């Protein structure tokens, strides 16, 4: 039995006899990594984060380095791993994960990563499913295939986003994916991307089998040799029809993706084929995501009570609950625009008591009233 099993916070049997493990500390995450790198691929098993983890910018060895491969399910559960630091400028397959074919979902990462070839904030090279992942920070590669989420995608990426600056010394550098061989859908990038050639806001190189659906990129894109530089895709080797209802706000020197203005990117009428019921949202006030399309998977919905306040000489503040997309309830702090004692109208604002990587707090304000005390009382 490996070291990981010995330090687990919990282990239980779930439906179908599969094993489920929980991780709550940096030590447990490192022990899990060592198990994978030692040959345990965790096929049919689920790893779930139950707390935010800070790796404190200590040098990290990827999960799935060497011959190790992760083939299970890693569920970040909406939590964040911070301080992911890797400085391996001559090493390939660099990221929180190195290589793997499992499912990674519901995870937020803050990274500072330098590698050589196949470098990504989440995974260097992946052939599984990536869903509801957000990347912040910096990703750099000294060779080819560098991306905010993955350097080389052989699987499915959906409902994910990157705010990480991406730079590559050579070709195939993308804000989300360096080189794409399969499917990207319902994802976006807010970041600058640079490299030698085949540089794209979303994807550096989209291969003949690559497909991009309902996604967008906004941010600067630069290529040293100025070849294959695109606001959405740097170089596309697939049919033009493989890029579906996807947008860019940066011109570049190709026509891959639909070029629109930032104002059009904020207009729901632009996205006739997008799902604005379950997947996407746009806040016309500009409070959420600057008015640009956001992914509902990363939103927290605030539900207010319906107060019926009458002046009583004491401060009165409405209550509210906050619920994530996966049903978790989070604690809130409620503040008001002024001390809510006297009769009058007030604005209450909700913020998370323990901040998480949910920049999209829906219905975060409420106007309420304190009525005057009746003269008959």
């Amino acid at each position: 039995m490996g070291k990981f099993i010995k330090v687990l916070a919990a282990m239980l049997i779930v439906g179908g006899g599969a094993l489920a493990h929980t991780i709550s500390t940096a030590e447990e995450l490192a022990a899990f990594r060592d198990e994978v790198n030692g040959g345990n691929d965790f096929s049919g098993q689920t790893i779930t984060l139950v707390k935010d983890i800070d790796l404190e910018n200590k040098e990290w060895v990827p999960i799935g380095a060497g011959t190790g491969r992760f083939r299970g399910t890693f569920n970040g559960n909406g939590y964040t791993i911070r301080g992911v630091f890797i400085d391996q400028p001559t090493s390939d397959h660099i990221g929180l994960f190195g290589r793997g074919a499992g499912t990674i979902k519901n995870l937020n990462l803050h990274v500072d990563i330098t590698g050589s070839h196949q470098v990504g904030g989440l995974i260097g090279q992946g052939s599984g499913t990536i869903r509801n992942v957000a990347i912040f920070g910096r990703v750099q590669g000294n060779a080819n295939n560098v991306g905010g989420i993955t350097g080389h995608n052989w699987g499915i990426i959906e409902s994910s986003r990157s705010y990480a600056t991406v730079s590559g010394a050579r070709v195939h550098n993308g804000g989300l994916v360096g080189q794409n061989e399969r499917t990207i859908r319902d994802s976006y990038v807010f970041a600058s991307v640079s490299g030698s050639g085949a540089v794209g806001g979303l994807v550096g190189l989209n291969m003949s089998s690559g497909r991009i659906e309902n996604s967008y990129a906004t941010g600067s894109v630069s290529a040293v040799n100025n070849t294959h530089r695109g606001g959405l895709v740097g170089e596309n080797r697939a049919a033009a029809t493989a890029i579906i209802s996807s947008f860019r706000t940066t011109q570049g020197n190709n026509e891959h993706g639909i070029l629109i203005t930032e104002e059009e990117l904020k207009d729901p009428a632009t996205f006739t084929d997008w799902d604005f019921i379950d997947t996407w949202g746009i806040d016309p006030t500009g409070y959420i995501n600057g008015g640009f399309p956001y992914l509902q998977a990363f939103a927290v919905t605030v539900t207010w009570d319906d107060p019926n306040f009458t002046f009583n000489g004491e401060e009165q503040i409405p209550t509210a609950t906050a619920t994530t997309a996966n049903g978790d309830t989070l604690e809130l702090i409620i503040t008001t625009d002024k001390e809510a004692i006297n009769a009058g109208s007030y604005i209450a604002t909700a913020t998370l008591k323990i901040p998480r990587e949910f920049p999209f707090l829906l219905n975060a304000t409420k106007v309420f009233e304190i009525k005057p005390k009746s003269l008959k009382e």
Side-chain angles (χ1 to χ4, degrees):
M1 183 176 292
K3 179 173 64 173
F4 172 65
I5 302 301
K6 296 178 182 178
V7 301
L8 281 177
M11 182 174 70
L12 56 128
I13 303 295
V14 296
L19 285 172
H21 314 282
T22 60
I23 290 179
S24 61
T25 67
E27 290 75 19
E28 290 174 359
L29 185 65
F32 159 65
R33 182 266 321 280
D34 293 343
E35 279 284 313
V36 173
N37 294 353
N40 186 350
D41 66 6
F42 288 87
S43 181
Q45 301 179 53
T46 297
I47 311 299
T48 302
L49 291 189
V50 293
K51 288 180 65 177
D52 290 338
I53 291 176
D54 190 350
L55 297 179
E56 299 179 337
N57 293 316
K58 298 175 181 177
E59 184 71 39
W60 176 256
V61 175
I63 303 164
T67 59
R69 301 288 183 276
F70 178 68
R71 302 183 190 278
T73 296
F74 189 96
N75 183 5
N77 205 27
Y79 289 102
T80 297
I81 301 176
R82 294 183 174 84
V84 182
F85 176 78
I86 303 175
D87 186 15
Q88 298 290 332
T90 61
S91 298
D92 300 339
H93 307 113
I94 296 297
L96 177 71
F97 289 77
R99 283 184 282 187
T103 294
I104 306 171
K105 62 183 182 179
N106 307 328
L107 180 64
N108 308 289
L109 291 178
H110 286 259
V111 304
D112 183 356
I113 291 175
T114 300
S116 180
H117 177 64
Q118 313 276 46
V119 182
L122 177 67
I123 187 167
Q125 178 179 322
S127 54
T129 298
I130 296 169
R131 181 184 304 117
N132 301 348
V133 169
I135 307 291
F136 305 84
R138 184 190 70 90
V139 180
Q140 178 180 326
N142 292 329
N144 303 327
N145 295 4
V146 184
I149 284 185
T150 181
H152 199 165
N153 176 48
W154 286 91
I156 296 172
I157 299 175
E158 58 188 3
S159 192
S160 294
R161 60 196 172 112
S162 179
Y163 295 85
T165 300
V166 173
S167 60
R170 297 184 185 174
V171 296
H172 311 158
N173 307 298
L176 200 76
V177 174
Q179 181 170 320
N180 181 48
E181 309 271 356
R182 291 293 184 267
T183 301
I184 299 169
R185 68 170 69 99
D186 296 320
S187 297
Y188 68 86
V189 170
F190 271 93
S192 62
V193 187
S194 61
S196 177
V199 180
L202 192 81
V203 173
L205 171 63
N206 192 47
M207 295 294 286
S208 60
S209 55
R211 185 178 176 90
I212 300 169
E213 306 172 12
N214 300 359
S215 299
Y216 74 88
T218 184
S220 64
V221 177
S222 60
V224 172
N225 60 22
N226 205 37
T227 58
H228 301 301
R229 175 177 56 85
L232 188 77
V233 176
E235 179 181 355
N236 182 43
R237 296 182 185 175
T241 53
I243 301 176
I244 303 165
S245 192
S246 294
F247 302 87
R248 57 193 169 97
T249 60
T250 301
Q251 173 64 56
N253 58 15
N254 64 46
E255 301 304 318
H256 309 317
I258 302 168
L259 179 65
I260 59 175
T261 65
E262 289 192 353
E263 289 307 309
E264 289 173 317
L265 189 57
K266 297 177 181 180
D267 185 354
T270 300
F271 310 96
T272 56
D273 300 323
W274 288 26
D275 176 9
F276 279 93
I277 296 175
D278 298 315
T279 304
W280 291 96
I282 285 183
D283 176 17
T285 70
Y287 176 77
I288 301 171
N289 208 33
F292 297 105
Y294 65 88
L295 291 163
Q296 294 184 31
F298 293 96
V300 171
T301 301
V302 177
T303 303
W304 296 88
D305 66 357
D306 190 14
N308 185 20
F309 294 144
T310 300
F311 174 77
N312 63 6
E314 299 179 356
E315 187 173 27
Q316 301 180 82
I317 299 176
T319 60
T321 57
T323 308
T324 67
N326 63 7
D328 289 342
T329 299
L330 305 178
E331 290 187 86
L332 291 169
I333 295 174
I334 310 297
T335 58
T336 54
D337 59 331
K338 53 185 179 288
E339 194 171 31
I341 295 179
N342 297 322
S345 182
Y346 301 88
I347 301 174
T349 301
T351 57
L352 294 178
K353 184 176 182 179
I354 301 175
R356 295 176 73 181
E357 298 300 336
F358 292 103
F360 314 138
L361 201 59
L362 308 183
N363 195 33
T365 61
K366 180 179 180 62
V367 176
F368 69 98
E369 184 180 0
I370 297 178
K371 299 175 183 178
K373 186 175 181 178
S374 172
L375 295 178
K376 295 181 181 180
E377 298 182 25

